[in-house]
Amino acid sequence: MKPFGPLPRQRASDSVYEALRSGILTRVFEPGQRLNVPELASQLQVSLTPVKDALNRLASEDLIEIRPHSGTFVTQVMPEDVAETFQIRSALERLAGELAIAHATPADVAELRHLVNQMAGTVADEAAWSAHEKWNGRFHQLIIDLSRNRKLIQMYEDLNAHIQIARIHRGRQDWQERLPDERAEHEAIISAFEARDVAALQTALQNHVSRAAESLVRDLRELNAATLAAAPVKRPRRTTAGRPKS
């Protein structure tokens, strides 16, 4: 396990929750990894109670699984779960877009365009991809925030956490091939904002989120298939007489 430093003084359970949630979303803890609760408490320099409280909150968000008699594990991402998550995200973004058009100022639309321009560079390595993902996340978050609907914003944040985990394991061999489609979709979104066209915005958001969902789900299925193919074949144990043990 990678080292975890002590926390600043504030409410312990909140600090532990934020630290562990961040660790899940930034690859400190991998999907499927077992979490050692006493070790986490020691590294964070807190008692077991705030760690357990934080883990219960993370379990309620489906970011971890607490298995009786087995332990606590970071949730393993499945392609089918990601597909369902994107279906809900699509509905939320389309609703957010409808609400956001009524609130977006010319400065807000200019900020959306600025974020798209930040993504215009070549994505050729891990560092460039991380920067691209940061700007892309801000682009979508701005649309959500412009809805000014607190419940919608919270629901989106919870969904997006699962999508971030899935993206950790996505295949990225075709980065450059996907970027032109993404840029065209972002331009369609901005154009709809500029025209104050709700129907065009919802269509643009639907197309963009659907294409992103198909891409990520396909990547995860291919990764799972490759992992399964690479797994060692379990052969039956044999007795001294050469017959398989029952």
Side-chain angles (χ1 to χ4, degrees), residues 14 91 98 130 159:
D14 289 341
E98 178 182 350
S130 295
L159 284 175

Side-chain angles (χ1 to χ4, degrees), residues 116 119-124 128-129 132-133 136 170 174-187 208 211 215:
V116 169
M119 290 182 266
T122 301
V123 180
W129 179 261
H132 179 92
E133 288 289 271
N136 187 50
R170 72 179 299 170
D174 56 352
W175 280 345
Q176 299 300 331
E177 294 177 13
R178 298 180 184 183
L179 290 179
D181 288 337
E182 178 188 273
R183 288 168 185 158
E185 291 157 5
H186 283 159
E187 285 294 334
H208 178 53
R211 196 267 313 155
S215 173

Side-chain angles (χ1 to χ4, degrees), residues 144-207:
I144 298 299
D145 290 343
L146 286 171
S147 74
R148 300 185 186 177
N149 184 307
R150 291 181 294 108
K151 294 294 185 182
L152 189 156
I153 292 169
Q154 183 59 55
M155 291 175 67
Y156 183 84
E157 181 180 344
D158 293 342
L159 284 175
N160 208 37
H162 292 270
I163 294 171
Q164 287 184 55
I165 295 171
R167 281 178 173 151
I168 290 173
H169 295 280
R170 72 179 299 170
R172 298 178 183 160
Q173 293 81 3
D174 56 352
W175 280 345
Q176 299 300 331
E177 294 177 13
R178 298 180 184 183
L179 290 179
D181 288 337
E182 178 188 273
R183 288 168 185 158
E185 291 157 5
H186 283 159
E187 285 294 334
I189 292 169
I190 293 172
S191 295
F193 265 105
E194 291 172 337
R196 304 289 173 175
D197 188 331
V198 173
L201 178 59
Q202 291 185 325
T203 297
L205 287 168
Q206 172 71 37
N207 292 340

Side-chain angles (χ1 to χ4, degrees), residues 16 36-51:
V16 173
N36 186 311
V37 178
E39 183 177 338
L40 288 173
S42 175
Q43 290 181 340
L44 296 170
Q45 298 184 9
V46 296
S47 67
L48 289 175
T49 299
V51 175

Side-chain angles (χ1 to χ4, degrees), residues 10-19 46 49-51 53-54 57:
Q10 62 185 85
R11 183 179 172 186
S13 60
D14 289 341
S15 297
V16 173
Y17 165 79
E18 291 167 5
V46 296
T49 299
V51 175
D53 288 345
R57 288 175 65 182

Side-chain angles (χ1 to χ4, degrees), residues 80-124:
E80 294 75 16
D81 294 334
V82 174
E84 291 178 359
T85 299
F86 264 103
Q87 288 176 342
I88 301 171
R89 176 186 165 180
S90 176
L92 285 178
E93 288 213 37
R94 282 183 280 125
L95 174 57
E98 178 182 350
L99 298 173
I101 272 188
H103 301 135
T105 66
D108 293 325
V109 177
E111 177 63 15
L112 287 172
R113 185 165 292 284
H114 168 71
L115 291 169
V116 169
N117 290 339
Q118 292 294 115
M119 290 182 266
T122 301
V123 180

